[in-house]
Amino acid sequence: MSSTRKQGAAGQSDIARRRTQRRLASGRKSDARWQEVLEGAGRVFQRVGYPQATLEDVANEVGINRATLYYYVGTKEELLVSLLYRPIEQMRVDLEEIVAKEMPPGQKLATALRTYLVALSERPELFIFLGENIDKVMTVHEAEEIQRNADRYGRLLTSVIADGAASGEFRADLDPQVATMGIIGMVNWMYRWYEESGSKSLVELGETFVEMALASLSPEAANRVGAAADPS
């Protein structure tokens, strides 16, 4: 290897080392430039779609060159993980706190869904998670943790519905897991049609879904369904 090649390899190794140190450093979250990179990546991924976006697009969005971006992040996949990890983890933590409170299942469910809607409103990068098949676009270790947090969220919400059915507050003829997937799917689908320029905010529109979810789980709803199925 020539001295020039050795210097190049050493330079690359030094950049990779510093990038790893920044990734592990607790102060990275408060780094202003890193926040600019994350916010810029979120805008680019939402605007052109994650599969089509490139790190060059992100660098241009932030107003830095590709070499500077490489100091912070090495791959598009790593950037997506960094963008999604904390928000999804926080959503799981928020739901754990709600589930642990002393309140009726219906109140827990309504609070959980409203908190979910606020998170979607405040962290629009979550729409990227909803719109992409994470198993297909991410393979790094942190992606597994993102999926575990999402799965834990689903199990927690299912437990709320199961508790409501056991107490008689919710109808008992529905599979709680299926009900959870239906309710979350209804809310998540907003990423396909919601427009910030509309007359109502995402949270305001989502309140209709909260009401629909509670109404569909009520014992009275089961009675109406039974009556409709038996015209005699």
Side-chain angles (χ1 to χ4, degrees), residues 5-226:
R5 291 178 62 188
K6 287 180 180 179
Q7 291 173 358
Q12 289 294 326
S13 297
D14 185 56
I15 291 174
R17 176 181 57 78
R18 285 183 287 145
R19 188 173 64 240
T20 299
Q21 289 175 343
R22 292 190 66 81
R23 183 165 61 248
L24 297 177
S26 60
R28 185 182 187 184
K29 292 185 293 184
S30 62
D31 185 276
R33 175 53 60 83
W34 175 238
Q35 290 302 318
E36 290 177 5
V37 169
L38 288 179
E39 291 169 4
R43 292 192 298 270
V44 170
F45 292 163
Q46 290 181 69
R47 185 169 64 243
V48 305
Y50 175 76
Q52 292 75 32
T54 67
L55 287 180
E56 189 71 28
D57 293 331
V58 175
N60 292 336
E61 181 76 16
V62 179
I64 58 178
N65 59 42
R66 180 67 181 82
T68 301
L69 180 62
Y70 188 69
Y71 176 78
Y72 289 89
V73 64
T75 66
K76 186 174 70 168
E77 183 180 9
E78 181 188 349
L79 187 52
L80 181 62
V81 168
S82 298
L83 189 66
L84 296 178
Y85 181 84
R86 293 302 177 190
I88 293 175
E89 180 185 48
Q90 188 59 53
M91 291 178 69
R92 186 262 302 164
V93 170
D94 290 343
L95 183 56
E96 286 179 340
E97 294 176 353
I98 292 169
V99 171
K101 292 181 179 180
E102 292 293 332
M103 61 175 68
Q107 188 177 352
K108 285 184 180 181
L109 179 60
T111 302
L113 292 177
R114 288 171 180 141
T115 302
Y116 189 82
L117 288 162
V118 170
L120 291 178
S121 176
E122 295 179 347
R123 305 299 297 265
E125 62 267 27
L126 289 168
F127 281 133
I128 302 169
F129 177 76
L130 300 179
E132 298 291 342
N133 188 333
I134 296 302
D135 292 337
K136 300 296 184 182
V137 300
M138 291 196 294
T139 57
V140 297
H141 172 72
E142 291 89 342
E144 297 176 359
E145 188 62 26
I146 288 176
Q147 193 60 58
R148 280 194 290 270
N149 276 319
D151 292 344
R152 172 64 174 162
Y153 188 98
R155 290 194 298 272
L156 285 166
L157 203 62
T158 297
S159 72
V160 172
I161 295 177
D163 288 345
S167 69
E169 185 175 357
F170 295 157
R171 54 193 292 187
D173 61 319
L174 297 178
D175 182 326
Q177 186 173 8
V178 174
T180 297
M181 290 188 292
I183 292 169
I184 290 297
M186 176 174 64
V187 176
N188 286 352
W189 197 249
M190 294 178 76
Y191 89 91
R192 293 293 299 270
W193 55 264
Y194 172 69
E195 295 287 346
E196 290 186 4
S197 58
S199 60
K200 290 187 177 182
S201 70
L202 186 148
V203 173
E204 291 172 331
L205 290 169
E207 189 62 28
T208 298
F209 292 151
V210 176
E211 296 174 4
M212 290 172 63
L214 294 175
S216 67
L217 292 173
S218 69
E220 292 77 10
N223 294 335
R224 289 193 295 270
V225 170

